[in-house]
Structures are given as structure tokens and as C-alpha cells.
Amino acid sequence: MSTATDSRTILINPVTRIEGHAKITIHLDERGEVNDARFHVVEFRGFEKFCEGRHYTEMPQITPRTCGICPVSHLLASAKACDAITGREIPRPAKMLRELMHMGQIIQSHALSFFHLSAPDLLLGFDSEPALRNIVGLVHQKPDIAVKGVLLRKHGQEIIKLVGGRKIHADFPVPGGVNKTLTPEQRDTILKGMPAAFEMVSFALDLLKGYHKAHLAEVEDFGSFDSNYMGLVQPDGALELYDGNLRFCDAKGEILHDQIPPAQYLDYIAEAVEPWSYMKFPYLERLGYPTGMYRVGPLARLNLCSHIATPRANAELQEWRAKGRVRTSSFYYHWARLIEIVYALERAEQLLRDPAITSTDILVPNDPQNPEGVGIVEAPRGTLIHHYWVNKDGRVEKVNLIVSTGHNNLAMNKGVQHLAKKYVKAKKLQEGMLNRVEAVIRCYDPCLSCATHAVGKMPIAIELQDAGGAVLDTLRRDPSS
Amino acid sequence: MSTPKQITVTIDGKTCTGTAGQTILEIASAHGIVIPTLCYLKGLSSWGGCRICIVEIKGSPKVVPSCATPAMDGAEIITNSDRLIQLRKCTLELLFSERNHLCPMCPYNKGDCGLQHQGLAHGITGIRYQYLYPAMPIDLTAKYFGLDQNRCILCTRCVRTCDEIEGVHTLDVANRGIRNQIVVDLNATFGASDTCTSCGACVANCPTGALFDKAAAFRGPLASCQTVLTTCTECPVGCGLKVFTKENRIVNVFGDPDSPVNKGHLCVKGRYETWADARERITQPLVRGADGQLHPATWPAAIQRIKDTLAQSPDWETGLLVSPRLTNEAVQTVRKLADKFDRVAAFVAPYEAALCGQPEYAAPDSLQRLDEADAIIVLGARPSEDHGVVAARIRRAVRQRGAKLLIFHARKSGLDRYANICANVVSLERSFWKQVAETLADAQRPVLVYGPQAMSPIGVTVLERLLKSFEDKKEGTGPAVIPLPRSANSLGFGAAGLELLEEIGPWLDTKPMSFLCIVASDEPDGGARLLEERYVRPLLSEVDCLVVQAAYRSALTDMAQVVLPAVTWAEKFGTITNFEGRVLPVRPVLAPVGEMRDDQTILESVFA
Amino acid sequence: MNKTAKKPAKKPAAKPVAQPAAATAATPAKIKVATMWLSGCSGCHMSFLDIDERILELVKHVDILFSPIVDIKVADMPQVDVGIVEGCVNNTDQEHELKLLRERCKVLIALGDCAVTGNIPSLRNQFKLDDVLSRAYEQTESTKIPIIPHDPVVPPLRPKAQPLQEVVKVDLHIPGCPPDADTIWFALTELLAGRVPQLNEKNMRYD
């Protein structure tokens, strides 16, 4: 267990209940103060190379295998990049169907994040029995809540299946549109499930708002720090998840760059590599590295949008902003996720009630007319960028992917540092502090499946390193502790 | 020929009768016994290399490929013993291990792949061999399709198809053993190949996703589509099409295997140009406004505009010019309305008029004659450019039956290299014609195919000379003479008695025309080819009111005062008459999305 | 690691899953399960979660002791009855963990195409590993501060990304990308009933 020495590095490995695996090392200086915290992603698969040579119509099939939790995000971003290569506008019903599938995904992924991955902390307590502090424990201890989570996720997955043909890795969006229409019966089935879904997310919102009230100090300062924010917005600045242009704003919510067309992302975003993580570090190029840190995802989106275009979600947004226009505490990610579920449900309903949703006008030709294309969507976890270059035969020549969790890499590291400084004191490693360090990572709901286009390993151990890098202590959990 | 001997075999305990010479697989299939196959395809020679169709014969320790083994009278055959199933599984597992058969990213993964089907049917969940992960090339240089070697199982269906059906033998297998690979020509790419005709038959016959159609990729599994049989209207051969549709869109087009014309084979036009090219479709009437631009309009508004224009100027010289692609039914409407115009004509290829007016020479068995010919003369036609399926028949005659081929045409063609004599410039020298006579000396079933250029002055001379050389032969009959026009429904037009124009410039020029309606129908270029003829563009721009009836936007439709949206072949209902004189059905495969109407309906509503 | 072609095995007769320790009369002992994801996308685990409400029934019979979806950090992999692994073996850490799980479980299941065939991650085997790393960390158009990660904390990649059975013995393969939730449910319930699940074209997919 822990030994008393001068300085230590704490390594949490793996961070459970996030998608993908990682190690966290916490470096203490000679005085035992937290000097640095690092979030290491330990895997790499190589999508940006091994897609070369394929026909570009396969990209919407290959890239979703980056991630089984948000494959729809990759399907859509990839199809949009391919559309840009065809140089054609897809028919309106196709756009609607893609957005509808996306709403299904937002619902399922955020429900998964909240109920399966974060709720155990909130409902069973950060310091509760680790063996039970998970979805299985939730099922045993609070089965009615667990069921709501399961059913809300199921509603989202059912939308994806009815619209796209399959829950995970559907082959639905293609260059030029989508390959499947929605029948009136399928539309009606989805609409029938809406009231129950609204009820479930309202329940979750009440739960979370209750937790906020009961733990005010903690939630306001949980991995809380200033940062810039990035996300897609509609022409009038409203929240947008499928289409739109990029907006960057600063820690106060002041707009830095607005309505940037996706094709110009390289003028703003650059990436750095650190030798100790397979995940790259995107940053705002004009501000340099690491000053140019920014956050993406539900927190960022709600911070930078002017409003939400659907009424119930917009009302929730106003409540979310009650304490201030910009929320900086990482804990607010959970609440933001639930608000986005409300938006997704409302937007899905809008799309379903539009008669064009069952149209057969869903495809235009897929021959490549441009040598490159960029597709950007707001995945549940944040902005997702696909960029392909092809030759005249449609052969993929180069690929660049910047995935959602990647944008949050600097921020996650900062969040861990912030929390470690607050909770990791002296030379004792306590269970609870480690949970909180992990929990701040979970706020970002990082999808490490995407982020390194890779997945990490289980389990995490915590390593304490001295200023020289020698491992002084490791903390692991026994099932009994 | 004596009748073949009847034989009897037992397959899986069932008594089956067949004829001597039939393979075990053929007899089994005829009796509803299913033996799994991969490399076998009806219509191609048997190769017997995949070893999936293996069966056991009592009394023999070996297993044999049933597709390539003639059934012996009295044999007792087992098709599904434990041993056979194990051997098939081994073979399939070896196939899976050899290359990168990744279903998740393949356009044929939803039930359109033979390898996937056999793997699942045999309950293969994992393989016992190590995966090799070879780095295999992907050739995407063909316009309409690609070849992904990762997914190839070396069944050689593509090689046999290209050799035996299209007759060019572009594809073959290179290297040895594990390095075996399908190659194009002498290890070229499709894009650089000078033999590949892009007929797409290899893609149609490939059992896996190795050869795949680009425009169809991921747009609908064939297994989930409806099929409609119709006729291709790109040329006068009139091949049968089997069109796969889903949710009112075309997913792919293949040949109709039951069509007596093409027996399932297509050329690049029918196979791809009918649907895989991106064209700008006109979906509603367009009327040119005061601002000089074309604006969408309703049908009543567009029709009224035309009627008003005509009413205002009753003395105008009016004309109707139609495409030779019109169905017989549309042609009847043109005939009916002909007296509403001062001049009515159809535009055909140079020198084609003479061919169009000869329905009496068309013979329903022209293609059959070609299939039996031992000498073929092609005069003034370029089947390899204009009638791909006929060119395939000619190449097969030459390469499989050793038929003689003589080509007379001013322009080079893709068939030239197969010819015994190829003359771009015809000599009148005696030695040349002696050579011709010698080449034809032994011909028992000669065929003379002649196209529009045969009706040119030089062409007619050569035609007469050729016919004479047959008369001079001491024995044998004269050749079967097959007129082969270029325009799709030439014979239909010929029967209608309309004026046929080989040049429209002089027709426009004889008397200034003030009103002209051009029925371009679904000409792939929207009728723009008319503008290539000298003086036509300035002459057309002098027409006060030009109306164009077309499916696709083009430089021609851009010149019109009124554009009326027409249906394409995929939305038409009617008949065309092919060069053999067969009347063939054109059936709609799609419901038009928009304001498009068929040619006869448009003409009646505007001019009747 | 390098498996040569074995003689074709006869189809095994349905063999019962090894029973856990003796249970009390009232509550039969639960089957202990560990799950892992190696170099995959987690889609197979997500497909497992698509059994939806059936998870409530499942957890009555099954103890998930170790899994990315539960919160256990253990010094060592516990002894379990069934190990379920998705993803292929891509780096040295994964190889180590897989071998550890193989030692500690009675039945090892390869879940999903990555675990069964290598699938998408195995596409990198067609390229030189240095080229793959260089494209990602040096050449991509957005990378302005390039370096190939090399700190000891990030495990090196193996020469090839390989399916599980090229590293350890696998008892059951469930292909699919991902396999349907119903297929996973079927396989698990068959195993719980002591039977080897039979997979064929009716309940199996390769895509």
C-alpha cells in the first residue's frame, strides 16, 4: 500500500466506467503538493493510415468501428465528408432522416452516460462500496431507476434501429444521402414511445437537480476552471448537433470566432502530441499550446449557444444558466447532457411530424467531384471532424480525424489536476479522493474508443511517482475493500 | 445426331434420371437437390477449383467436384456426409484465412455474398488456421466498378465470364500458388487497359465483393430489392434488362438471363450508362421569362405559353423534330399529329435512313445466325462502339469457333484486332479481293452485317463487291445479310413512314423555321449532340420559339424558350422494335418523381 | 502464437459448463463472469447492453466481477467461470491481460469480429507499423507539434493486430460486428443451461 516517502506519483489505472481505458498519473513535488496530473490513453489502432487505398464509399462503414457507443456520429460525419467530395447537396428528406438518427443517438448515448456510468456515483455515493457502485449495483439497489435508464437508452436505440436498420454500425448514411426510407408505421412507433421517454428524462432531471441542491459547494467547484469552448451552431446561434457552422467562445461566453464553415477547421485547430499518451491534444492554434485549450461537448455547447430552438429544452437551459451565463464546473456536464436529451426528444418529434420524413427522395449520385471533403457533427461527447482526400477514382488518399474526446484532452488533464490538488493531500491516498479524480474524467464522458481511435485496457491502477519519476507507491483495489 | 443416352443415378438415396454427359451437379439441380457451390455458374464453363461442390461416389475413396464430373450411369452419390461437410468447412476456413475477408466494410455484406452465405450455412464461427493478412491491391481505376483483391476467392468466374461471354479475355490469373492473383491484361489496371470494354459482366458474376459497382455501393442490398424486366433503349439490339429497385430508386441493372436477345449479357451502355451516370434531370416545365432566364412553371402555364405563341403567329413555319429513341407508341402519336406541323422529321445517324426503312430485311433470327456463323463480315458498322453485345458475339465466334472476320470501315474500331482482314481504306485492287475470296472460301455459314456507313457511296460499292464475291463462289449459300442500324428504334420509325434526317442543318435551312419542337426524350446528353453538326447552333438560335421536350438538361435545353420534362426509359411504358424486327416491351421500373410525362402525352396535350 | 493448421476437430458434444462451488439450497451460486475489451470499439459490449431489460434477469444468475462497465479495480484478475473478450490483441499490455484471463477462466469467449478475425484493426497489418504511427502522430494536417509517443506508460504495439485465438485457446467464437443482442443473449443462456450454443445462419452474422 502507501509508503511514506518524499514525493509520489499516483497512477489510477484504469479509469473504469468510461468508454475505453486510460491510466492517470498524479505527480507530487518534493513538498508533497500535486505538481501535475496526466491522463494517459494507452491504445492506438491507426485509422488515419489503414483507410488509405479504400474506395471512399466504404468510409462510412469503416470509421464507425472507431466506436461502438457513438457509431452514428462517425456514420454521419463520414457521410458528410463524402457528400462534400461528391460536391452535391443531399435531398432534404435525407438530411432529416440523418438528423433523426442523430437525435436517437444523443438520447441513447447520454442516457448511457448518465444512468449506466455516472448515476451510480450520484445515487449510491462516491464513497460507497466499489463492488456495487456500478450499473449492476444500481440494478440491485435501485432497480426502478436502473430500469428507467435502460428504457431511455432503449428508446434512443430503437430510433436508430427503425431509422437506420440496425442499432450499432448501421449502413444507413451513404455518400449522397441515405439508403433507407422511414415507413409511416415506423414513424408512428417512434412517436408512441416519446411521452414515456420525456417522463424518464424529467425524472432524471429532478434527480440531478436534487443532487445539485444537496451538494451545492461540491458541484460548483468540481473540476472547475476557465476555458474556451467550441461547438456547432445554427445561423442564429442556436444549439445545433447535425449541421451548422463552428463557433468558438471564451471563458466568459464572448464569441471569438463565429460561423466558421467546417471546411476551414484547419485554420483554427491544431494538434500536439505528448510522448506519454496515444491521444493527441487539439488546441486553438492562435493561442498556442497549451494555452489554446478548449472544451467541447454538452457543457461547451450550452455555454456557447445563444439559445435552444425547442421550447422545453430552452426553458431548461435558462434554469441551467441561472447562476451565470457560463458554467465552468465539470459537474454541470451531467445536467447539460440531460438538457440535450430533452432537445433531442423535441427535435426528433419535430422531424417525425414533418410529412417529408417518409419521402423516397433520399439519394443523389455518389461520383467524386472534389478532391477533398470535411464533415463535422456534434457527437454526444463533442465536435467530431472527418477529413478525407480522394483521387478522381474515389480512392482514399489521406485521412485526418479529430474526435470529440480528443478536443477535451487538455481539459481532462486540467480537470484531473484541479481535483487532485483539492483532494489529494499529503502522502495518504484515500479511496474517496481517487473516486473523485476518476469522476471528473467521467464528467467529460470521454469516449476513448474514439479518441485514439483506440481503446484502452482494464483495470486501472494508481501509481505514485516521485519528482524523479520513480514509482513509490501503487494503489489498487481488492474486490473486498 | 443420335439422341443422348438416358442414365440413372442415385443421389442421397433418391433416384434421378439424366442424360449421358450431364454433370452430377446438373442432374442434382434438376431434381431439387442443392449442392453448395462457389466457382460454378450456369452459362460458364466448369472449372471445379473451389472444391465446395465435392461429392462422394460409392466405391471410390476420392471426392469429386460435382460441377465438373460427368455422372456415370448407376453411380451412387452422396452429397452431404460428415466427411464432405468437414472438407467443405476446411476449404471455407482456408479461404477466410488467405485474404482479408472483412464483412463489416463490404458493399455486399447484407446477403449478396456467396462466401458469406456458405460460411454462415456451414456454421463457421471461427477458423482453425492463422490469418495471413496479406497486403492486397485495390484497383479503382475503372469508371463504374472496382476490384478489391482482399475479397477475391480466385473462383475465376470473372476470368471465364470475360473470356467466354464478352470474349475479350481481359482478366486472367497471374503468379502461382499463394501468390495467385486476378490481373487485368498483362498486370495493368482497368483504367489503363485497352481491351476491357467496361461491360461489367465480371462484376455481375463475381460471387463476393471483390468486383463491385461504385454507383451501387451501400445503396441497397440486392437481396432486398424488387426486380422489373424491361428492354434497353440505348441501341437497336434491344437487350433485356433486369432492373433492381428499392424505394423507387434503381439500385443496379443487370441483363435479363431469359431474354432471347442477349441472354443476360449487357454492354457498358445498358449495364451502366442507363443509370450510373450523374445527369441533371428536368423535373418540371421551364419557361423563359422576360429576364431571359428559364423559370419553373406549371404544365398549364407552359402549354398555354406555347399555344399562345402559335396562335399569335399563324403564318409561322412550324416543325417537329424527334429522337429515334421514341417508343413505337410515341411514334404513332407523332404520325397522328404530323399534319399540325409544316415539317416533321426524325433525326438519325449519317446514312442510316436507308437502313431504317428496311423492316422487310430484318430477320428475327439475326443473332442466332451470328452465333452459328463461321465467317462474319462487318461493313460500315462498329459494333464494339455501338452495339457491344453484338461485338461480344462476334468475338466469341472468332475466338471459340475460329470464325473468319472481315471488317470494312473508314474508322478504327475495337474489333479490328480480331479480324483476319481489316480495311479502313478499301482497295479496288484485284489482289485484295482475291485475298477476301480466299478468306471466305470455306465459309459454310457466312454472315454479312452492314451498318449505316455501308449506305455511303464507298460503302455501297464495297457491299456490291462483297455480294458479288459470294456469287462467284462455286458452292455454299450467300451470306445471311443483317442490317445493323445505330439508332435505337430505327425499325419502328422506318415502319411509320416519317421523314428521316441524317443532317438537320439543311432541313432547318431550306425555309426559315419560326417554331420548332424538338422531342429529345431521354437522349443521355439531353439532345446536345444535335448541336455538334455544323451550322445547327446558329440556325436553332434563329428559331423564334424553340420548345425542347427532354429528360436531361443540356446545351440544347438551355437554348429553348420552353422546356418540357420527359420521362426516361426507366419510367416509360411501350414497345420498341429491335434490329431483328422483334417488338420488345419497355416497362416502367420507377414512378417519376416530379412533373415528368411521357412523350406521347406531352405531344397530345400541347398540340392535339 | 503461431498456430499451424490443426487436424479438423470433430464437433464437440455439448459439454456442461463447469459448475461453481456448491450452493445453498435457497440460492444457487452465480456464474462468475469477467469481460474485457482489447482493441475493439466497445460495440460488442454495447450490443450486450442492448439486451435491455433482460439484464435484470441475467444478474440473478451471473456475477460480473470484472468488466469495463462495472467499477472494479483489482490487483489481479479474479478466478471466474466465463471470460468474455471483445477486440483484437493489438499491444503488449493486452497480450498480457488476455493470457492472464485465460489462466483464470474456464470458458473463454471471443465476442465480435475483432476478437474472432482481427477485423478493422487488423487492416493495419497491411502497412508498415512505422508508417501507421507516423501518419497519425507526425503527418496529419492538423498535427503541429509532432512526436511518436514512446513513454514507458504507453504500451508498444505488437507486430500484428491478431484475433484472440492466435494468442490463447478460445472456447467459443461469436462473430458479428457487432453480434446481435439476441445472439449474445442466446449464447449466454445456453451456457447457463450447460449447453454449447449452436450458431448458424439463423442467429449469426459476420457484418
Side-chain angles (χ1 to χ4, degrees):
Chain A
M1 285 284 275
S2 52
T3 57
T5 46
D6 281 331
S7 53
R8 305 176 281 181
T9 301
I10 309 172
L11 166 63
I12 305 180
N13 176 34
V15 181
T16 53
R17 279 190 285 118
I18 59 177
E19 289 82 78
H21 309 295
K23 303 179 191 179
I24 299 176
T25 55
I26 301 175
H27 300 253
L28 305 182
D29 64 15
E30 294 77 22
R31 290 167 305 169
E33 302 287 328
V34 171
N35 182 30
D36 193 11
R38 289 177 178 176
F39 179 60
H40 308 267
V41 178
V42 297
E43 271 199 42
F44 168 74
R45 282 170 295 175
F47 280 79
E48 286 159 323
K49 185 66 183 175
F50 64 58
C51 291
E52 288 176 10
R54 317 279 344 162
H55 191 243
Y56 86 113
T57 52
E58 292 175 6
M59 293 304 282
Q61 290 307 293
I62 301 175
T63 53
R65 270 77 187 190
T66 314
C67 182
I69 292 136
C70 62
V72 174
S73 311
H74 288 281
L75 279 172
L76 298 177
S78 184
K80 286 177 73 176
C82 293
D83 293 342
I85 287 171
T86 68
R88 292 196 175 85
E89 190 78 27
I90 68 173
R92 181 169 169 266
K95 222 185 253 201
M96 291 167 61
L97 285 166
R98 285 188 187 175
E99 192 181 354
L100 179 58
M101 193 190 204
H102 195 37
M103 294 303 104
Q105 185 200 211
I106 297 285
I107 295 163
Q108 96 46 35
S109 176
H110 282 347
L112 177 82
S113 168
F114 184 77
F115 283 96
H116 293 59
L117 304 175
S118 304
D121 286 335
L122 303 178
L123 296 173
L124 306 177
F126 281 99
D127 300 316
S128 65
E129 171 82 43
L132 300 170
R133 198 186 335 117
N134 52 58
I135 181 62
V136 177
L138 206 63
V139 166
H140 286 306
Q141 289 187 47
K142 294 194 190 281
D144 48 335
I145 297 180
V147 166
K148 282 199 191 340
V150 166
L151 291 177
L152 185 56
R153 175 170 180 266
K154 185 176 179 180
H155 182 68
Q157 290 284 73
E158 287 291 319
I159 293 176
I160 295 172
K161 181 169 183 191
L162 286 170
V163 174
R166 199 178 172 190
K167 287 183 179 179
I168 301 171
H169 300 325
D171 70 346
F172 175 67
V174 295
V178 297
N179 66 9
K180 196 180 145 301
T181 58
L182 188 69
T183 66
E185 295 75 33
Q186 290 169 328
R187 174 207 48 208
D188 294 338
T189 304
I190 301 172
L191 280 171
K192 260 209 282 271
M194 283 298 180
F198 272 111
E199 213 185 271
M200 288 184 254
V201 74
S202 292
F203 171 83
L205 273 165
D206 287 340
L207 202 67
L208 184 64
K209 289 183 214 177
Y211 188 93
H212 267 247
K213 272 212 192 78
H215 301 85
L216 211 51
E218 181 176 15
V219 303
E220 290 301 323
D221 192 29
F222 195 80
S224 180
F225 53 89
D226 282 345
S227 76
N228 302 304
Y229 302 101
M230 176 179 86
L232 288 173
V233 290
Q234 295 181 4
D236 64 355
L239 174 72
E240 173 58 39
L241 299 176
Y242 171 70
D243 231 347
N245 291 318
L246 288 171
R247 169 182 283 184
F248 298 82
C249 74
D250 68 12
K252 295 191 180 43
E254 300 291 322
I255 295 175
L256 294 170
H257 314 288
D258 204 13
Q259 301 297 332
I260 307 297
Q264 291 172 20
Y265 79 96
L266 278 173
D267 293 340
Y268 296 86
I269 302 172
E271 290 184 287
V273 188
E274 295 284 0
W276 41 264
S277 179
Y278 276 129
M279 186 155 84
K280 289 183 269 191
F281 292 81
Y283 60 96
L284 269 172
E285 199 171 8
R286 282 151 212 227
L287 298 176
Y289 176 76
T291 319
M293 171 190 65
Y294 58 89
R295 288 192 267 189
V296 298
L299 182 84
R301 292 193 283 254
L302 294 196
N303 277 337
L304 58 79
C305 75
S306 54
H307 62 284
I308 298 181
T310 59
R312 283 167 76 161
N314 200 32
E316 293 288 341
L317 176 66
Q318 305 316 314
E319 200 184 328
W320 190 80
R321 287 176 174 174
K323 291 197 169 50
R325 173 68 176 74
V326 173
R327 307 280 80 216
T328 58
S329 164
S330 302
F331 206 88
Y332 270 78
Y333 262 100
H334 298 303
W335 192 354
R337 244 168 242 127
L338 294 178
I339 297 176
E340 286 193 335
I341 295 180
V342 176
Y343 169 67
L345 287 168
E346 288 185 289
R347 180 66 184 139
E349 227 174 11
Q350 271 178 358
L351 291 163
L352 288 162
R353 295 202 190 282
D354 187 323
I357 199 71
T358 51
S359 165
T360 55
D361 181 18
I362 54 176
L363 275 174
V364 291
N366 69 1
D367 49 313
Q369 297 191 96
N370 295 325
E372 62 181 292
V374 177
I376 302 187
V377 298
E378 284 293 325
R381 289 156 190 81
T383 317
L384 174 60
I385 302 175
H386 280 226
H387 188 173
Y388 312 144
W389 290 258
V390 300
N391 74 2
K392 60 169 177 56
D393 301 322
R395 178 191 186 276
V396 173
E397 306 275 76
K398 286 193 293 186
V399 173
N400 189 26
L401 304 170
I402 307 182
V403 293
S404 324
T405 300
H407 297 286
N408 281 340
N409 201 359
L410 274 170
M412 279 192 292
N413 275 276
K414 183 131 191 211
V416 168
Q417 262 179 42
H418 180 266
L419 218 47
K421 284 192 166 115
K422 206 167 151 196
Y423 284 103
V424 177
K425 297 227 183 300
K427 330 259 187 197
K428 277 212 110 187
L429 301 178
Q430 291 161 26
E431 174 71 37
M433 70 180 69
L434 301 173
N435 292 341
R436 278 164 179 72
V437 169
E438 282 189 325
V440 79
I441 299 266
R442 282 195 218 108
C443 287
Y444 291 87
D445 185 23
C447 190
L448 299 174
S449 292
C450 293
T452 54
H453 329 308
V455 179
K457 70 173 185 189
M458 292 295 297
I460 299 179
I462 301 187
E463 234 175 54
L464 199 57
Q465 291 181 5
D466 68 10
V471 173
L472 301 168
D473 186 18
T474 46
L475 187 66
R476 290 181 171 131
R477 296 173 212 263
D478 292 328
S480 55
S481 70
Chain B
M1 220 164 67
S2 56
T3 48
K5 178 171 166 268
Q6 285 289 104
I7 59 172
T8 307
V9 295
T10 317
I11 306 180
D12 295 337
K14 184 173 170 180
T15 306
C16 305
T17 50
T19 51
Q22 278 191 303
T23 63
I24 296 172
L25 183 66
E26 282 169 343
I27 297 180
S29 300
H31 289 80
I33 297 169
V34 176
I35 303 175
T37 59
L38 271 178
C39 74
Y40 171 77
L41 187 62
K42 189 154 177 230
L44 300 177
S45 62
S46 284
W47 182 55
C50 74
R51 316 313 277 196
I52 299 294
C53 72
I54 44 173
V55 295
E56 288 172 331
I57 304 181
K58 189 171 175 201
S60 169
K62 295 186 182 178
V63 296
V64 295
S66 56
C67 71
T69 307
M72 304 299 281
D73 195 15
E76 283 178 50
I77 298 157
I78 303 289
T79 71
N80 56 5
S81 66
D82 280 347
R83 174 187 176 212
L84 286 170
I85 291 170
Q86 282 309 313
L87 288 172
R88 289 186 191 131
K89 280 184 157 177
C90 271
T91 306
L92 289 166
E93 291 179 29
L94 282 166
L95 282 173
F96 280 122
S97 80
E98 190 176 21
R99 292 192 178 189
N100 302 297
H101 295 282
L102 301 183
C103 285
M105 49 199 265
C106 175
Y108 293 76
N109 64 6
K110 300 278 184 293
D112 294 334
C113 173
L115 180 66
Q116 185 191 71
H117 172 73
Q118 294 300 340
L120 292 172
H122 285 83
I124 293 176
T125 56
I127 69 171
R128 74 201 80 185
Y129 307 108
Q130 193 178 17
Y131 285 97
L132 299 182
Y133 302 119
M136 301 304 298
I138 305 171
D139 180 353
L140 299 173
T141 56
K143 179 175 180 193
Y144 295 111
F145 55 86
L147 169 56
D148 184 347
Q149 302 274 6
N150 289 290
R151 311 198 272 243
C152 174
I153 57 171
L154 291 166
C155 71
T156 72
R157 278 201 201 174
C158 58
V159 174
R160 286 174 279 146
T161 301
C162 193
D163 181 30
E164 297 164 19
I165 308 289
E166 182 64 354
V168 285
H169 205 142
T170 297
L171 298 169
D172 212 320
V173 185
N175 304 326
R176 297 180 183 203
I178 197 72
R179 296 202 210 292
N180 266 168
Q181 191 175 299
I182 301 293
V183 286
V184 171
D185 291 341
L186 296 173
N187 204 19
T189 58
F190 277 111
S193 168
D194 55 359
T195 60
C196 172
T197 58
S198 297
C199 73
C202 56
V203 187
N205 288 349
C206 175
T208 69
L211 283 160
F212 65 96
D213 284 324
K214 290 178 179 177
F218 301 105
R219 294 188 157 212
L222 293 174
S224 72
C225 291
Q226 291 87 46
T227 56
V228 182
L229 300 176
T230 182
T231 304
C232 179
T233 55
E234 300 299 309
C235 89
V237 175
C239 296
L241 298 179
K242 187 170 180 179
V243 183
F244 284 74
T245 65
K246 186 181 168 110
E247 295 165 348
N248 204 37
R249 64 178 183 272
I250 294 177
V251 173
N252 214 327
V253 172
F254 297 108
D256 175 5
D258 297 322
S259 161
V261 174
N262 60 321
K263 299 175 188 153
H265 189 46
L266 292 175
C267 75
V268 63
K269 290 184 188 171
R271 177 83 168 82
Y272 292 118
E273 289 175 16
T274 43
W275 68 283
D277 284 333
R279 299 181 193 122
E280 202 178 328
R281 191 76 198 270
I282 303 170
T283 56
Q284 19 172 213
L286 303 170
V287 174
R288 200 169 292 277
D291 61 352
Q293 302 300 317
L294 281 170
H295 295 283
T298 61
W299 272 106
I303 293 172
Q304 199 55 46
R305 168 72 167 262
I306 298 170
K307 290 197 163 146
D308 288 345
T309 308
L310 286 170
Q312 275 167 20
S313 313
D315 298 329
W316 269 4
E317 177 81 0
T318 58
L320 178 66
L321 184 64
V322 303
S323 157
R325 291 169 72 99
L326 295 190
T327 59
N328 292 324
E329 291 71 20
V331 172
Q332 291 312 312
T333 304
V334 170
R335 264 186 69 173
K336 210 176 67 174
L337 297 172
D339 56 359
K340 309 274 181 178
F341 299 88
D342 295 311
R343 281 183 257 167
V344 174
F347 51 90
V348 296
Y351 301 108
E352 193 173 33
L355 281 170
C356 295
Q358 299 181 336
E360 65 274 19
Y361 286 126
D365 58 349
S366 298
L367 287 166
Q368 195 191 331
R369 299 292 205 114
L370 256 182
D371 287 340
E372 291 165 0
D374 59 355
I376 302 171
I377 305 161
V378 179
L379 169 61
R382 297 197 303 155
S384 45
E385 278 66 25
D386 298 327
H387 322 81
V389 166
V390 169
R393 309 291 251 271
I394 294 172
R395 281 187 296 260
R396 278 161 29 196
V398 170
R399 294 183 60 245
Q400 289 164 16
R401 302 196 302 273
K404 301 279 194 277
L405 177 61
L406 295 82
I407 297 181
F408 300 90
H409 197 293
R411 294 180 62 188
K412 294 193 197 303
S413 85
L415 273 182
D416 296 353
R417 75 183 70 193
Y418 300 91
N420 300 81
I421 296 177
C422 174
N424 296 125
V425 175
V426 177
S427 163
L428 294 170
E429 281 185 20
R430 205 180 295 235
S431 60
F432 174 76
W433 288 100
K434 183 156 175 265
Q435 198 188 357
V436 169
E438 276 169 11
T439 311
L440 294 170
D442 297 324
Q444 298 292 313
R445 296 174 299 282
V447 168
L448 170 58
V449 175
Y450 69 100
Q453 289 293 326
M455 300 290 106
S456 68
I458 293 178
V460 169
T461 309
V462 174
L463 179 58
E464 289 171 349
R465 193 71 187 74
L466 279 168
L467 291 172
K468 182 166 183 302
S469 63
F470 276 103
E471 286 165 16
D472 293 342
K473 272 172 50 152
K474 291 200 194 90
E475 47 182 81
T477 51
V481 178
I482 301 174
L484 188 60
R486 284 179 65 193
S487 300
N489 197 16
S490 330
L491 264 66
F493 274 83
L498 294 174
E499 187 181 355
L500 300 172
L501 299 176
E502 294 160 4
E503 278 185 312
I504 66 170
W507 185 77
L508 291 170
D509 207 16
T510 44
K511 188 177 170 191
M513 196 170 310
S514 307
F515 176 91
L516 175 62
C517 177
I518 301 182
V519 181
S521 187
D522 63 338
E523 295 268 340
D525 61 356
R529 63 188 173 97
L530 290 175
L531 299 174
E532 287 167 23
E533 193 192 314
R534 260 197 311 181
Y535 306 126
V536 167
R537 191 186 280 269
L539 284 168
L540 281 179
S541 55
E542 284 167 22
V543 174
D544 292 282
C545 183
L546 176 65
V547 175
V548 178
Q549 198 172 306
Y552 302 113
R553 178 173 164 247
S554 70
L556 181 66
T557 63
D558 285 348
M559 289 176 75
Q561 270 63 55
V562 180
V563 182
L564 301 172
V567 293
T568 64
W569 65 271
E571 300 148 349
K572 279 188 192 177
F573 179 75
T575 59
I576 57 157
T577 310
N578 84 340
F579 77 109
E580 293 174 304
R582 282 182 217 256
V583 177
L584 298 165
V586 178
R587 295 192 192 95
V589 309
L590 298 176
V593 178
E595 300 291 311
M596 302 79 95
R597 297 181 181 174
D598 68 44
D599 298 308
Q600 53 269 44
T601 305
I602 298 175
L603 287 170
E604 299 226 356
S605 56
V606 179
F607 299 108
Chain C
M1 221 161 313
N2 291 325
K3 280 191 175 260
T4 50
K6 296 195 321 224
K7 254 181 23 172
K10 280 189 90 71
K11 205 163 53 178
K15 65 175 195 288
V17 172
Q19 291 304 313
T24 64
T27 52
K30 292 193 192 177
I31 303 287
K32 301 201 188 86
V33 169
T35 82
M36 251 164 57
W37 70 55
L38 305 181
S39 202
C41 73
S42 78
C44 294
H45 275 71
M46 292 304 110
S47 193
F48 163 72
L49 288 177
D50 281 336
I51 63 176
D52 298 320
E53 311 91 289
R54 291 176 281 187
I55 198 168
L56 300 168
E57 176 62 28
L58 186 71
V59 298
K60 290 184 192 156
H61 306 282
V62 155
D63 247 340
I64 303 181
L65 297 186
F66 183 96
S67 173
I69 55 176
V70 302
D71 190 8
I72 308 295
K73 299 175 202 2
V74 290
D76 276 331
M77 179 80 60
Q79 201 74 30
V80 292
D81 300 306
V82 178
I84 305 176
V85 181
E86 79 161 83
C88 66
V89 190
N90 191 21
N91 66 38
T92 50
D93 280 5
Q94 289 166 345
E95 189 179 336
H96 168 75
E97 285 157 26
L98 177 64
K99 287 178 175 167
L100 196 60
L101 176 60
R102 175 72 273 191
E103 269 176 46
R104 307 276 168 93
C105 76
K106 301 187 179 93
V107 176
L108 182 66
I109 301 177
L111 181 66
D113 280 351
C114 294
V116 171
T117 72
N119 200 19
I120 307 286
S122 74
L123 284 174
R124 75 145 169 98
N125 298 345
Q126 297 186 40
F127 297 83
K128 296 227 297 270
L129 184 52
D130 284 346
D131 290 342
V132 180
L133 287 162
S134 180
R135 170 69 197 158
Y137 296 109
E138 291 175 333
Q139 298 169 21
T140 39
E141 287 66 17
S142 44
T143 303
K144 301 290 161 71
I145 302 176
I147 189 170
I148 311 277
H150 56 266
D151 189 286
V153 78
V154 288
L157 273 77
R158 303 166 80 241
K160 279 197 192 318
Q162 287 173 290
L164 304 190
Q165 69 167 46
E166 295 189 9
V167 176
V168 298
K169 178 176 175 301
V170 171
D171 298 304
L172 176 65
H173 294 96
I174 305 179
C177 187
D180 291 330
D182 289 345
T183 304
I184 298 173
W185 177 252
F186 169 74
L188 290 174
T189 49
E190 286 290 286
L191 284 170
L192 284 173
R195 294 186 291 266
V196 174
Q198 298 303 310
L199 296 175
N200 55 42
E201 75 267 28
K202 293 189 191 56
N203 58 10
M204 176 167 60
R205 63 194 303 161
Y206 293 157
D207 67 315

